[in-house]
Amino acid sequence: MNYDVLINGIEVNAHYSEESINKIFIPLLKRFCDIQEKKGSRILVMLAAPPGAGKSTLLSFLKHLSENTEGLRPVTTIGIDGFHHYQDYLLNHTTIRDGKEIQMVKIKGAPITFDVDMLRNRIKKVASGEVCGWPEYDRMKHNPVEDAIQVTGDIIILEGNYLLLNDDRWSNLADYADLTIKIDADIDMLRGRLIERKMMSGAEAELAKEFVEYSDLYNAKLCITNSKDADITLKLKDDDEYELV
């Protein structure tokens, strides 16, 4: 099935095979429904994946399937990008990378550039079943927009790079999830996908490669090597399909 969608202002043309849809995605959505029915209240699913692994597109497709497949219940999808520290904060705070002190803004998207305490507090509200506001990231303003959406529904899927990160600030977030999913991928494949994505956003080839190596790929390696196990693991293959591990 071809699936065309706008992700973060970039037009994405994805394709998911009927085998993946029928043997992975629909059974996964049915599992969400079964867990929710057994619990009798809202469930929170967490999807963690490195940059470039296609998690935002996959999540959008799962939402599409849930709304257009008989026997499934609609899912609500949210992400962690709205919990970036504000630009002023990142411009005025520093961190150490490769032995050098740098502005946090230069590695925006790294774990340290997120307000994890705020994220944790909002996750608690979502996990408790509360209808609550959720921020989203505005790429034009380079800042979060507070309470951009309202979180409602009985099946919530939260996506983010670091939701399973084995780090003191992040490690307990998964405790609030009823189910965790992780996407694994080959680092060289991610490098190519990330460079292509950066160029699609307007960057020249050399600048795209430089940015990816210093920022996105650094974060991708961190996710792959330092994330906890999940209840379900999907592997991104060379043909952009997924397989259950």
Side-chain angles (χ1 to χ4, degrees), residues 82-245:
F83 293 91
H84 274 101
H85 281 296
Y86 277 81
Q87 194 78 346
D88 284 347
Y89 179 97
L90 298 176
L91 287 167
N92 289 286
H93 286 76
T94 62
T95 188
I96 303 298
R97 168 70 66 87
D98 298 331
K100 298 179 181 180
E101 184 177 14
I102 59 171
Q103 288 177 301
M104 283 190 183
V105 73
K106 293 185 181 297
I107 55 167
K108 192 170 187 176
I112 198 172
T113 66
F114 286 84
D115 187 338
V116 184
D117 290 335
M118 181 180 175
L119 173 61
R120 181 181 297 103
N121 289 335
R122 204 64 59 94
I123 285 175
K124 288 180 181 179
K125 291 184 177 183
V126 172
S128 72
E130 182 178 337
V131 174
C132 63
W134 191 267
E136 291 190 332
Y137 187 75
D138 189 321
R139 291 181 180 272
M140 298 299 293
K141 298 179 179 178
H142 304 291
N143 270 321
V145 177
E146 300 295 339
D147 298 335
I149 60 173
Q150 289 291 305
V151 180
T152 62
D154 291 330
I155 302 174
I156 313 297
I157 311 178
L158 170 62
E159 61 94 354
N161 297 331
Y162 310 117
L163 292 171
L164 292 174
L165 192 64
N166 193 18
D167 172 274
D168 288 344
R169 298 172 66 241
W170 292 82
S171 62
N172 71 338
L173 296 184
D175 294 345
Y176 298 98
D178 296 279
L179 188 73
T180 57
I181 305 170
K182 180 169 66 173
I183 297 176
D184 195 9
D186 178 77
I187 196 68
D188 290 328
M189 182 199 307
L190 291 179
R191 179 184 284 107
R193 288 167 62 98
L194 288 165
I195 291 172
E196 181 181 2
R197 185 174 75 181
K198 191 65 178 174
M199 290 175 64
M200 288 178 65
S201 67
E204 295 182 0
E206 287 305 314
L207 290 177
K209 291 178 183 178
E210 181 179 338
F211 174 85
V212 166
E213 290 293 339
Y214 189 71
S215 181
D216 282 346
L217 205 64
Y218 187 100
N219 297 333
K221 290 176 181 177
L222 181 64
C223 292
I224 291 171
T225 61
N226 199 34
S227 288
K228 298 185 292 185
D229 292 337
D231 298 314
I232 298 170
T233 299
L234 300 175
K235 176 76 172 183
L236 178 64
K237 302 190 295 180
D238 291 340
D239 58 1
D240 291 344
E241 292 279 3
Y242 297 93
E243 64 179 357
L244 282 169
V245 177

